[in-house]
Amino acid sequence: MKFLLMGAAATGLALAATVAHADQPATTTAAAPAAKPTYGTYGFDTAGMDASVKPGDDFYEYANGTWLKNTPIPADKSNYGAFTVLDELSQKRTREILDGAKTDPNSKIGVAYATYLDSAAVEAKGLAPIKPWLAEIGAVKDLKAYAALSGKAARAGVRGPFRFYVGQDDKDPETYILSMMQGGLGLPDRDYYLDQSEKMAAIRTAYVAHLEQMLTLLGEPNAKARAAALMAFETEIAKVHWTQVDSRDADKTYNKMTLAALQKAAPGFDFAAYFGAVGLKPTDLLVAQPSAVTGEAALIAKAPIGVLKDSLLLRSVHSYADYLPDNIASADFAFFGTTLSGTPEREERWKRGVTFLKESLGEEVGKVYVAKYFPPETKAAMDQLVKNVLSAMGRRIDGLPWMSDEAKARAHKKLAAFTPKIGYPDRWRDYSGLTITSGDLFGNAMRANQFDFDYNIGKLGKPIYRWEWGMTPMEINAYANFGMVEIVFPAAILQPPFFDPNADPAVNYGGIGAVIGHELSHHFDDQGAKYDETGKLNQWWTDQDVANFKALTAKLGAQYDAYEPFPGAHVKGAFTMGENIGDLGGLAVALDAYHASLGGKAAPVIDGMTGDQRFFLGWAQVWRRNYREANLRQRLVTDPHAPSQYRADIVRNFDAWYDAFKPAPGGKIYLDPKDRVKIW
Ligand SMILES: [Zn+2]
């Protein structure tokens, strides 16, 4: 399992949203290192603060209030913050690389990009490129054929009734195994179907209208009735789906069974035909949500075949909307971009082209990107920072009052086993098997999906791909992978405001130091801690350790449950638990590492700010972000990360923050010492 630093921009959107206008100074490039930090005089944007807000009322606003007020969200964005500012820089650089390549007929990335940009060719072809695929759906006559085509759809990147992929077996991490999960919904989560609030009801109405519109655009008859029937079917599926909270439980979702046992438990769906269509004959597999799979199979068995076919049809058009004529793409965006995420406008074509290249040929572009934009000094500095954070974590573990000596010894073993990956992979993906054809955008997209799928499925029976990366170097994010016992930091996040070689170390420790700590702490969060030093799902604590840990995490969960960004819409403490533990542990360990880096000397005071003040400001700065309402509402349901302001305000649990800012008791985020949560 992979745990990110930040959630995807918009679940359910075909393309991840990217950035529009720069309103931050351009960051330092490899070619021209500046002596001054990018932000402010010491790495923090003092001008973006709002000194009228008391730190003890809302530290996030205190640190970022003026920036938040003065920074509009670009029309093609669902949210805008420190991550997106860097994302825009990445996008601009990637565009330059692609512009340089696009006139070279021998450059795969160049041809793919030039083909993407040729919107006239896409319009001229109309629906012709997708017609053969739609005809295959049209030809389905029975459940067996439906199951087989659903497998083929998965290979083409179209979401069918279930989802599956090949990954490490949690209880045998040296072995790859097929894993499958619930699926079948067109909206981002079961809550969208079942939540009775007015907001959700309005989205449902808009969704049915959208389905009808798409069927009409495709020239299908009886669009209204068919849209309603599909919605009714998906609503029944939503009822058997597991919640997000249950779906992130590593124990509950580990259910190994033979294909025969799965078929017996879920007789309504032909799993052999489903997997067989893509050449898979699994003997055993992991099923994340068995009761949901059983329930879905039963619903499929009794559904009219037309409804099942419409589901595949509409999911296919959604997945490929961006490679089809503008009337289809715009209609898709109007619902998934605007209604669900609040984004008024689609991105310009070149931005979507950059995203397409990142998704289809990411490491081929990444190779060029790191050679140009990732200085070796940054990698060296990161190596050192990671070492410092790891040793700080070791010292913190020794000092934990709630953990047994036995578990501490195992925790040290786990720390010693960590693989940090920094910047870019040692071994790049080989794309020679992917055919990119000039002028064939739809075909390129489908072949890229199939190529990726085959690459993943091809892992079965092979030794673990330890060199592999789950992100491109251009991404502004980071992740922890439990099975690999690794923490991964793409090149593009190693820039200001996260990391600035010219900034004060306190700000860097509050930024990238806490990001390193966050990913590290994921391996000790409520799920990650279930995995041992070999990456195996295997309890290595005593039962008393587990009980003590649960008491602490319950306190943290209650803190987040209380946050209510919109009346009646709360943050879910249990759903965001892993991320909140990551932030809490990450910030604690980064602060210790910062203190250790001072080598016994007092930190200097800069611009009237102490070292600890600058550390916490550096943390708050990376979280500054404005959201559109629809986007934030969607995140409350689908994003395991709490909204940015609450992530910044986690400082309220730190005694050192109280010492640094001296907030008066009674402030909105003030906590009595007994209510401050300390876990790692
Ligand atoms: Zn995380």
Side-chain angles (χ1 to χ4, degrees):
M1 288 192 205
K2 205 173 84 177
F3 291 83
L4 315 181
L5 177 65
M6 194 191 64
T11 313
L13 193 60
L15 294 176
T18 31
V19 178
H21 329 288
D23 52 6
Q24 287 298 322
T27 53
T28 311
T29 68
K36 274 178 51 189
T38 299
Y39 288 81
T41 55
Y42 59 87
F44 174 75
D45 175 21
T46 310
M49 296 175 80
D50 183 349
S52 73
V53 177
K54 289 184 190 143
D57 277 338
D58 189 341
F59 186 63
Y60 173 75
E61 283 282 337
Y62 164 76
N64 299 307
T66 298
W67 184 89
L68 292 166
K69 236 177 278 149
N70 294 339
T71 308
I73 304 171
D76 61 354
K77 297 298 305 165
S78 63
N79 67 90
Y80 197 71
F83 284 79
T84 25
V85 168
L86 272 187
D87 195 31
E88 183 191 41
L89 178 65
S90 237
Q91 200 174 37
K92 202 177 118 238
R93 289 170 168 176
T94 306
R95 180 193 201 179
E96 280 164 18
I97 292 167
L98 296 172
D99 274 340
K102 77 176 186 223
T103 49
D104 177 0
N106 296 315
S107 163
K108 201 167 261 189
I109 58 174
V111 172
Y113 185 58
T115 298
Y116 194 100
L117 293 182
D118 189 357
S119 57
V122 172
E123 293 301 323
K125 288 183 180 182
L127 290 173
I130 200 174
K131 280 275 160 75
W133 173 248
L134 299 186
E136 282 194 59
I137 297 172
V140 166
K141 294 278 185 289
D142 56 31
L143 283 175
K144 191 182 176 84
Y146 165 71
L149 197 63
S150 295
K152 224 177 143 182
R155 182 168 179 257
V158 174
R159 287 200 175 178
F162 307 102
R163 294 192 291 138
F164 64 94
Y165 71 97
V166 170
Q168 281 169 288
D169 182 339
D170 275 1
K171 293 198 177 171
D172 180 11
E174 293 302 321
T175 305
Y176 280 124
I177 190 168
L178 184 66
S179 284
M180 77 173 287
M181 286 141 291
Q182 63 190 15
L185 300 182
L187 289 169
D189 183 76
R190 71 195 297 276
D191 283 8
Y192 278 78
Y193 297 86
L194 307 176
D195 183 318
Q196 292 306 308
S197 69
E198 262 177 51
K199 291 269 177 196
M200 285 298 198
I203 288 176
R204 285 193 286 276
T205 305
Y207 178 55
V208 178
H210 165 72
L211 296 176
E212 181 188 346
Q213 182 194 14
M214 289 313 252
L215 286 166
T216 305
L217 285 173
L218 294 167
E220 295 288 326
N222 305 322
K224 195 178 180 71
R226 287 163 68 179
L230 181 55
M231 181 61 174
F233 176 61
E234 289 183 8
T235 304
E236 292 307 306
I237 291 179
K239 289 178 188 164
V240 303
H241 260 221
W242 284 23
T243 62
Q244 298 272 9
V245 171
D246 284 338
S247 295
R248 66 177 288 276
D249 187 311
D251 297 311
K252 283 186 190 165
T253 53
Y254 188 90
N255 306 288
K256 196 184 241 183
M257 56 185 84
T258 62
L259 187 64
L262 170 65
Q263 193 63 74
K264 198 163 169 235
F269 185 79
D270 191 332
F271 291 96
Y274 180 55
F275 293 123
V278 291
L280 286 171
K281 270 190 198 155
T283 43
D284 50 20
L285 72 166
L286 296 175
V287 180
Q289 301 102 343
S291 66
V293 171
T294 298
E296 277 192 64
L299 289 166
I300 288 168
K302 64 175 196 193
I305 194 79
V307 170
L308 302 177
K309 288 162 69 170
D310 280 349
S311 173
L312 273 185
L313 174 75
L314 288 159
R315 256 351 88 67
S316 299
V317 173
H318 170 55
S319 297
Y320 283 87
D322 263 299
Y323 322 118
L324 292 170
D326 195 60
N327 63 338
I328 298 281
S330 296
D332 185 78
F333 182 82
F335 181 74
F336 289 97
T338 306
T339 304
L340 282 186
S341 298
T343 311
E345 286 176 17
R346 282 175 85 200
E347 291 183 310
E348 287 177 64
R349 193 161 190 92
W350 73 264
K351 293 183 185 177
R352 287 182 271 134
V354 164
T355 303
F356 174 65
L357 265 289
K358 281 200 285 195
E359 288 172 351
S360 57
L361 286 153
E363 292 197 8
E364 196 73 7
V365 181
K367 257 189 243 183
V368 189
Y369 177 90
V370 296
K372 261 184 115 157
Y373 297 113
F374 189 57
E377 311 86 75
T378 300
K379 183 147 178 147
M382 264 303 275
D383 284 339
Q384 191 55 50
L385 274 169
V386 169
K387 274 200 191 88
N388 295 354
V389 173
L390 276 166
S391 41
M393 187 71 172
R395 293 191 299 273
R396 288 193 72 82
I397 285 168
D398 289 335
L400 291 178
W402 56 268
M403 191 177 229
S404 66
D405 288 343
E406 194 187 332
K408 283 180 182 176
R410 287 295 291 273
H412 276 288
K413 269 194 178 171
K414 187 164 169 172
L415 271 186
F418 267 92
T419 305
K421 290 180 174 172
I422 296 163
Y424 56 92
D426 295 334
R427 197 193 296 192
W428 296 99
R429 276 270 304 267
D430 172 11
Y431 293 94
S432 56
L434 171 60
T435 303
I436 294 293
T437 304
S438 179
D440 183 14
L441 176 58
F442 182 89
N444 290 345
M446 186 172 269
R447 284 187 295 274
N449 277 319
Q450 292 166 339
F451 179 77
D452 241 15
F453 178 94
D454 293 347
Y455 168 84
N456 175 258
I457 294 299
K459 292 175 180 174
L460 271 180
K462 300 222 178 91
I464 303 301
Y465 293 13
R466 300 230 163 250
W467 64 88
E468 187 181 53
W469 276 56
M471 283 180 185
T472 72
M474 296 82 80
E475 234 144 318
I476 319 302
N477 214 332
Y479 68 89
N481 186 335
F482 300 158
M484 296 280 208
V485 202
E486 67 181 10
I487 48 178
V488 187
F489 308 95
I493 197 175
L494 307 176
Q495 301 185 87
F498 294 91
F499 173 72
D500 185 342
N502 300 310
D504 165 48
V507 176
N508 282 335
Y509 273 99
I512 200 68
V515 167
I516 297 166
H518 172 97
E519 299 308 338
L520 185 53
S521 299
H522 264 312
H523 288 272
F524 298 94
D525 75 19
D526 64 324
Q527 302 307 318
K530 294 174 177 173
Y531 295 75
D532 69 14
E533 71 274 9
T534 68
K536 182 177 177 182
L537 182 60
N538 173 32
Q539 188 184 313
W540 48 276
W541 309 16
T542 66
D543 290 341
Q544 187 58 50
D545 289 317
V546 174
N548 294 347
F549 180 72
K550 281 195 173 154
L552 294 171
T553 59
K555 263 175 88 173
L556 188 65
Q559 222 176 74
Y560 280 81
D561 277 335
Y563 292 133
E564 190 180 4
F566 304 107
H570 285 259
V571 175
K572 291 178 186 144
F575 179 38
T576 57
M577 182 64 82
E579 298 301 333
N580 301 332
I581 295 171
D583 284 345
L584 191 66
L587 199 58
V589 75
L591 182 61
D592 277 12
Y594 168 57
H595 288 160
S597 77
L598 294 170
K601 292 190 205 114
V605 172
I606 303 176
D607 288 359
M609 292 288 178
T610 66
D612 281 11
Q613 285 179 326
R614 298 193 302 277
F615 170 85
F616 288 114
L617 287 170
W619 165 253
Q621 175 170 253
V622 302
W623 294 115
R624 62 191 192 177
R625 171 151 60 154
N626 284 317
Y627 296 95
R628 296 191 190 279
E629 180 180 336
N631 180 244
L632 189 50
R633 284 184 181 276
Q634 180 177 158
R635 285 170 185 274
L636 291 175
V637 178
T638 62
D639 187 348
H641 304 85
S644 284
Q645 79 183 88
Y646 310 121
R647 297 188 73 171
D649 283 346
I650 202 166
V651 296
R652 64 197 295 218
N653 291 291
F654 288 79
D655 295 341
W657 177 75
Y658 290 85
D659 293 342
F661 290 95
K662 310 263 184 303
K668 285 190 193 121
I669 64 166
Y670 186 94
L671 288 172
D672 283 335
K674 67 170 172 33
D675 296 325
R676 297 171 198 167
V677 185
K678 297 176 183 69
I679 302 178
W680 291 105

